[in-house]
Amino acid sequence: MSDMDDFVDVTVSRGGRQVSAGCYKLPVSVGRGEHNAIRIGHDPQDKTVSRTHAIIQRDGTGLRLIDKSANGTIYRGARIKQGNSIGLGTTDHFEIFEFSVTVSKAKHDPSIPVIFEAHVLVDGYMKGKPFLIGEMMLLCFRRGKGYRFEQVPVRADFETICSNHRIDDEHAFAAIVGHRGAGHLFTQTAQNRPVILVNKQPIGETSIILHPRDVIEIQNIRIELYPPGENSLKCSNPSCQLLNPYVLTGNCRFCSFGLVGAVTRVAAATRKVQS
């Protein structure tokens, strides 16, 4: 699971004009080669910029800049030589020839509400802490015969993240995203992903709207989407076990099984703040 400490906002300018800006997962490589998260000096080709010129990486709670180039990187007027590194401030900048690179640690935006508190269960057991969906989205990766989940900011550079995972033979096949106050499930086409059930129903679309208390199932994995700050009831019918509003005297909205004796689930998050 990732948090905002794993991400940085990076703006690149040339001659006073912004040429790129984005949110990237650490470590972030900068250079002329196609493999870099941030490419500079490639159009037109400028061989004074190395294929991998510099790397920004996490250093405890801070950031560190490492030079990998033949010609060095300028930081506060001093040249950092190949293999050397220096700590960066929360917001800082460095120069690679004509390019000025500004780096800031990514921060939460408290104005973006939490849409869901997502609980991931494997074989019926909770896996890690809940994921808060709103400012952050939940990516689902397939690796070999297993699956992995990672939370990233909605504004992050999605293609770079997925490219890095493909190097590790992990492939993103679905994303749970909050957008404009609503939840969405985006997936690859059916032939490129495992069977996905939403509330026990297989989905064929590559994009569907998600609602509070929906349940997503992928083989032995279950993702329960809770409305933040509200209680829910999990149906005790073994063939159902879907989620319902907290009405003890009611019946399950899916199978009509009585909710007396149903398991209470509590979502601790609030809609207002992600921290």
Side-chain angles (χ1 to χ4, degrees), residues 8-13 18-24 37-38 102 155-157:
V8 287
D9 293 313
V10 181
T11 301
V12 179
S13 301
Q18 180 176 303
V19 295
S20 69
C23 181
Y24 301 89
I38 301 173
T102 300
R155 70 178 191 274
D157 186 75

Side-chain angles (χ1 to χ4, degrees), residues 153-272:
V154 172
R155 70 178 191 274
D157 186 75
F158 182 77
E159 181 54 39
T160 299
I161 291 170
C162 291
S163 295
N164 290 340
H165 282 282
R166 283 194 291 270
I167 293 172
D168 297 328
D169 201 26
E170 295 184 341
H171 303 274
F173 65 88
I176 300 172
V177 182
H179 180 61
R180 295 182 178 177
H184 302 266
L185 174 64
F186 298 107
T187 75
Q188 292 185 341
T189 56
Q191 61 266 32
N192 294 318
R193 59 169 168 79
V195 174
I196 299 175
L197 307 179
V198 176
N199 298 327
K200 301 294 184 183
Q201 300 300 310
I203 64 166
E205 304 90 340
T206 57
S207 174
I208 66 168
I209 300 293
L210 293 172
H211 303 92
R213 301 185 179 91
D214 279 350
V215 175
I216 301 168
E217 293 174 286
I218 307 164
Q219 296 182 357
N220 65 326
I221 296 170
R222 176 182 172 103
I223 305 172
E224 300 175 344
L225 304 178
Y226 291 96
E230 296 183 22
N231 291 348
S232 302
L233 290 174
K234 181 179 178 180
C235 179
S236 57
N237 180 354
S239 64
C240 179
Q241 295 190 327
L242 295 179
L243 301 178
N244 294 268
Y246 191 75
V247 182
L248 292 172
T249 58
N251 295 324
C252 176
R253 59 195 177 120
F254 298 99
C255 71
S256 299
F257 203 78
L259 292 176
V260 175
V263 177
T264 300
R265 298 295 192 196
V266 179
T270 67
R271 289 184 59 85
K272 294 182 179 179

